[in-house]
């Protein structure tokens, strides 16, 4: 058993002070996560995989059943593939969902956004996978259970204190949990953020802009995302292919006599569907989760205070345009997870955690700008027959072009088209026996990866760094038979590329500069 795993198991064991009973004992863990949405679950899986003791507490008494976020982008699919979930996700969701658009009830146009982001050697996953959030969460919970963790539902975080060594969290039932770190993944109304008194800067509209929910629909082909626009507003019906015929609805809310938005209801959605479609054959047979959505554009001024951190909607909220919410939260967790794990297993100094805010806050700013511009583009385009949600495509929504070139962790010594801080591309290669292998497969796990193009490194690297040779004099190395890896990384001769555990390029150097790689790792 490794020292890290031994420490983790020790941390997970409740301890009791002399004279107390187990019921009143202060429980301990390495990381306490508040919130069991996609962000919290992704983070918990990453930590558990590294042998870090983690507890996940969730206020809700049981898993959420609503669809809420409904699409994973290509970058999130890469993240979750690293956790071993790619096959299950792709089998559960759908990638080809045309946008079928109507204006004032009449069909006017159809388009296929999937055609704009086809799979490539450097990016093997579809640009979007339509999959309701409750299914994503169920798969993540299953993976967490495989890693020895679970979610404590019906458990409220009431407060916490911290010092230089630990966080002491108080639960509503009177129990206390002592952790080395606390991460608030508890949504836009985050208790953790409010307890830290971190300003949530931005704007919020007072009235709902949209009513949303899950409906059981009959009489409508579940082969497209149907989008009605007109003077009365918008109605969007997105099918999931559930056996129970579940569709997600998004619509302009009805208003009462005083002009304020009415709360969503089954009868209200029946009226909305009839008004927008004019089609009596479409039936709204039932409703599940129903909610209202207000325009909120806000970001936390800090992502970390001492040993307490924020991620996902607790750190930023934005318009729904582009479907970036669930994806940005998952990718927050992907960034934070390896850093917390390395600090807690003594592979890096605590200062590494400062780079979490330095890297992710600019991404949140980009997300707020992109989703706000996308929402404005849809609102403007919807006045024109045939224009619909594709108007939101004002920037890269796959997440593949986003990176951290500005980060203190990015040190570039090559100056090629791919630079330190960029996402590390995929590529099809052949192993020593000639069998196909993808470069992303060699990155799986929680270690750094040193890609050595054209030569075999001479230096001995620490155990948390794996070496992968490409086109080198190495009988166990990989072969770039079609040149996809070299083109993706902009490398012609021999070079070194150090890839972080979250699959971003950390450091690049020329052949023979292995000591520079060791120096970089030493600075962590």
């Amino acid at each position: 058993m490794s020292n890290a795993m031994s420490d983790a198991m020790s941390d997970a064991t409740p301890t009791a002070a002399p004279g107390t009973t187990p019921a009143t004992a202060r429980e301990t863990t390495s990381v306490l996560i508040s919130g069991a949405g996609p962000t919290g679950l992704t983070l918990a899986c990453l930590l558990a995989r590294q042998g870090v003791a983690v507890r996940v507490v969730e206020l809700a008494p049981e898993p959420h059943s609503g669809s809420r976020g409904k699409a994973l982008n290509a970058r999130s699919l890469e993240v979750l593939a690293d956790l071993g979930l790619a096959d299950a996700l792709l089998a559960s969701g759908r990638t080809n969902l045309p946008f079928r658009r109507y204006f004032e009830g009449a069909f006017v146009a159809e388009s296929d956004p999937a055609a704009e982001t086809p799979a490539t050697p450097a990016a093997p996953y579809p640009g979007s996978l339509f999959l309701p959030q409750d299914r994503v969460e169920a798969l993540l919970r299953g993976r967490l259970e495989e890693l020895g963790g679970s979610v404590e539902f019906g458990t409220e975080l009431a407060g916490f204190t911290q010092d230089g060594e630990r966080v002491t969290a108080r639960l509503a039932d009177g129990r206390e949990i002592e952790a080395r770190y606390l991460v608030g993944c508890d949504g836009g109304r985050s208790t953790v953020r409010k307890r830290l008194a971190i300003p949530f800067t931005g704007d919020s509209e007072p009235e709902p802009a949209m009513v949303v929910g899950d409906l059981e629909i009959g009489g409508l082909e579940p082969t497209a995302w149907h989008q009605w626009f007109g003077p009365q507003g918008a109605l969007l019906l997105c099918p999931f292919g559930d056996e129970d015929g579940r569709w997600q609805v998004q619509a302009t809310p009805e208003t009462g006599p005083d002009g304020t938005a009415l709360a969503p209801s089954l009868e209200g959605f029946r009226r909305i569907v009839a008004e927008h479609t004019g089609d009596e054959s479409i039936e709204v047979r039932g409703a599940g989760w129903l909610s209202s959505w207000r325009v909120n554009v806000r970001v936390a001024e800090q992502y970390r205070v001492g040993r307490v951190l924020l991620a996902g909607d607790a750190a930023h909220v934005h318009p729904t345009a582009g479907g970036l919410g669930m994806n940005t939260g998952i990718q927050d967790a992907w960034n934070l997870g390896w850093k917390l794990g390395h600090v807690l297993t003594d592979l890096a100094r605590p200062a590494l955690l400062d780079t979490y805010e330095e890297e992710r806050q600019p991404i949140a700013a980009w997300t707020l700008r992109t989703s706000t511009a996308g929402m404005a583009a849809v609102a403007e385009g919807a006045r024109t027959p045939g224009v619909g949600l594709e108007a939101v495509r004002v920037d890269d929504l796959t997440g593949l072009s986003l990176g951290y070139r500005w980060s203190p962790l990015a040190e570039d010594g090559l100056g090629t088209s791919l630079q330190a801080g960029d996402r590390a591309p995929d590529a099809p290669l052949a192993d020593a026996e000639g069998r196909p292998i993808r470069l992303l497969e060699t990155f799986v796990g929680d270690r750094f990866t040193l890609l050595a193009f054209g030569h075999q490194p001479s230096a001995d690297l620490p155990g948390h760094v794996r070496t992968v040779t490409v086109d080198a004099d190495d009988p166990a190395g990989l072969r770039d038979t079609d040149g996809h890896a070299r083109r993706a990384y902009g490398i012609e001769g021999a070079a070194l590329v150090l890839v972080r555990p979250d699959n971003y390029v950390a450091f690049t150097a020329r052949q023979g500069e292995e000591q520079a790689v060791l120096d970089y790792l030493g600075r962590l």
Side-chain angles (χ1 to χ4, degrees):
M1 180 181 296
S2 69
N3 290 337
M5 182 65 76
S6 177
D7 290 345
M9 295 178 64
S10 175
D11 276 346
T13 304
T15 59
T20 64
T21 66
T24 59
R26 176 176 290 177
E27 303 163 26
T28 64
T29 190
S30 290
V31 179
L32 176 64
I33 297 172
S34 177
T39 303
L41 290 170
T42 300
L43 179 59
C45 288
L46 285 168
L47 292 170
R49 187 173 70 174
Q50 295 173 81
V52 172
V54 60
R55 297 273 296 273
V56 183
V57 296
E58 166 58 51
L59 174 62
E62 58 188 17
H64 294 289
S65 60
S67 60
R68 293 172 292 158
K70 63 177 177 292
L72 293 169
N73 65 20
R75 185 55 180 155
S76 290
L77 287 171
E78 290 182 350
V79 167
L80 298 177
D82 197 288
L83 286 174
L85 294 175
D87 290 344
L89 289 165
L90 292 169
S92 298
R94 56 197 307 178
T95 58
N96 296 313
L97 194 63
F99 289 8
R100 189 169 298 169
R101 299 185 296 282
Y102 309 79
F103 193 80
E104 295 186 344
F107 170 78
V108 290
E110 184 168 311
S111 62
D112 182 9
E116 300 177 20
T117 54
T120 68
Y125 292 104
S128 291
L129 177 72
F130 288 93
L131 187 65
Q133 184 172 321
D134 54 356
R135 284 198 224 164
V136 175
E137 291 177 2
L139 289 170
L140 281 165
R141 284 196 304 275
R143 182 67 180 118
L144 181 59
E145 290 171 4
E146 292 173 353
L147 292 164
S150 63
V151 176
E152 301 170 41
F153 287 102
T155 304
E156 181 181 359
L157 177 68
F160 56 87
T161 59
Q162 65 170 313
D163 56 29
E165 299 295 327
R166 65 191 63 80
V167 179
T168 302
R170 186 180 74 259
L171 304 182
D173 61 10
R175 289 182 295 153
E176 289 188 342
I177 299 177
E178 185 178 284
R180 293 177 66 182
Y181 291 93
L182 165 66
V183 186
C185 303
D186 49 348
R189 297 184 177 90
S190 171
T191 295
V192 175
R193 187 191 65 245
K194 291 175 181 177
R195 292 283 181 178
L196 291 172
I198 294 176
F200 207 32
T201 305
D203 299 300
S204 298
E205 294 292 334
E207 282 293 307
M210 188 184 299
V211 284
V212 297
D214 292 340
L215 300 181
E216 182 185 346
I217 297 288
L220 189 62
E221 293 183 13
T223 55
W225 187 354
H226 299 265
Q227 306 168 13
W228 288 266
F229 297 94
Q232 70 271 46
L235 166 67
L236 314 174
L237 289 174
C238 181
F240 290 126
D242 285 330
E243 293 181 359
D244 59 0
R246 179 170 56 156
W247 296 62
Q248 188 186 81
V249 59
Q250 299 167 284
T252 303
E254 296 181 298
T255 55
D258 61 354
T260 59
L262 297 179
S265 66
L266 175 59
E267 288 305 317
F269 277 122
R270 284 176 172 155
R271 291 190 296 268
I272 290 171
V273 169
E275 178 184 9
H276 282 270
T277 68
D279 187 342
E280 295 180 357
S281 67
I282 300 176
E283 300 177 84
V284 181
R285 297 172 178 165
W289 163 75
L290 297 176
S291 187
S292 298
W293 179 81
R294 289 175 170 80
V295 177
N296 288 294
V297 185
R298 294 183 177 275
V299 64
E301 291 187 4
Q302 292 173 263
Y303 281 19
R304 178 188 179 195
V305 176
R307 291 180 170 268
V308 184
L309 302 103
L310 304 175
D313 285 355
H316 43 73
V317 292
H318 50 83
T320 59
L324 296 171
M326 176 167 58
N327 293 286
T328 305
I330 287 171
Q331 292 157 40
D332 281 350
W334 187 234
N335 183 289
L336 178 59
W338 76 269
K339 295 174 181 177
L340 262 178
H342 272 56
V343 168
L344 288 166
T345 54
D346 297 323
L347 295 174
R349 292 189 294 272
L352 178 64
L353 296 179
D354 293 336
T355 67
Y356 167 62
E357 179 179 314
E358 291 174 310
E359 292 185 342
R360 292 306 296 174
Q361 205 169 50
I363 298 297
W366 174 89
T367 302
L368 268 60
R369 290 193 305 270
T370 298
S371 57
T372 300
M375 187 171 183
V378 170
E380 178 64 27
R383 301 190 182 105
T384 303
V387 176
L389 292 188
E390 80 287 347
V392 79
R393 294 181 174 272
V394 296
D395 214 325
D396 172 25
L397 300 180
T398 67
L400 299 176
S401 68
L402 302 180
Y404 313 117
R405 289 186 179 184
W406 62 83
S407 170
L409 298 182
E411 298 186 24
D412 195 274
L414 293 178
T416 64
S417 56
L418 186 80
Q419 296 185 25
D422 292 347
R423 163 191 167 267
D426 194 14
L429 301 165
D431 68 11
E433 283 73 42
R435 294 170 300 198
I437 184 172
R438 301 204 67 93
L439 195 53
L440 282 181
E441 294 176 51
T442 71
F443 297 159
V444 170
D446 308 294
R447 294 189 289 171
F448 280 83
T449 301
L450 181 63
L451 294 178
F453 286 88
H455 73 293
Q456 191 167 2
S458 58
D460 291 330
L461 297 171
H464 66 285
V465 182
R466 66 166 71 86
T467 299
V468 175
T469 62
V470 179
D471 293 341
D473 185 17
D474 177 7
L478 304 181
R479 300 291 179 264
D480 188 17
T481 52
D482 296 317
H484 289 300
R486 288 188 174 276
R487 283 192 292 273
Y489 285 79
I491 292 171
E492 295 181 358
L496 298 168
V497 178
L498 184 66
V499 179
R500 298 172 7 171
D502 59 352
N503 302 356
Y504 287 89
V505 176
F507 183 86
T508 64
R510 303 190 183 281
Q511 178 182 0
E513 296 182 347
E514 288 87 352
Q515 185 58 49
V517 176
L518 293 172
D519 291 343
Y520 173 91
L521 292 167
R523 289 192 290 275
L524 293 182

